[in-house]
Amino acid sequence: MSPVRHQFSACEKDAFAPAIDGIIKEADEIVGEVADKKVLDAALITAAQAVEHYEITRYGTLIAWAEQTGKDAVAKLLITTLTEEKAADNKLTTIAERKVNQKAAR
């Protein structure tokens, strides 16, 4: 992502840190409150998806900026990353729906 960071100051690593730190803090709090491992697994997937969803929204915005400013190579790189983030989110959903949520509900 380094080439992208040079194109947009909003991509600087620290620009995302406070939000991600908040999501991680929330996940840590949930982990501390959940005693049942089956429920904990579902909670961890929820926390991981919160990170993915945050990243998806950011990459979508950055793609729009890149396209609007004529930085097509940057947009292409960001689209690749966005696709990867969406795939990770879909995998987490599949794991939750096929196994984890059912176990947590018992």
Side-chain angles (χ1 to χ4, degrees), residues 45 49 53 88-98 101:
I45 288 176
Q49 284 190 290
H53 294 170
D89 181 55
N90 287 334
K91 285 180 186 178
L92 289 167
T93 296
T94 299
I95 291 167
E97 290 177 348
R98 289 189 182 166
N101 290 348

Side-chain angles (χ1 to χ4, degrees), residues 1-4 72-82:
M1 292 305 295
S2 196
V4 175
D72 296 333
V74 172
K76 185 176 180 179
L77 179 63
L78 289 167
I79 289 168
T80 299
T81 303
L82 177 61

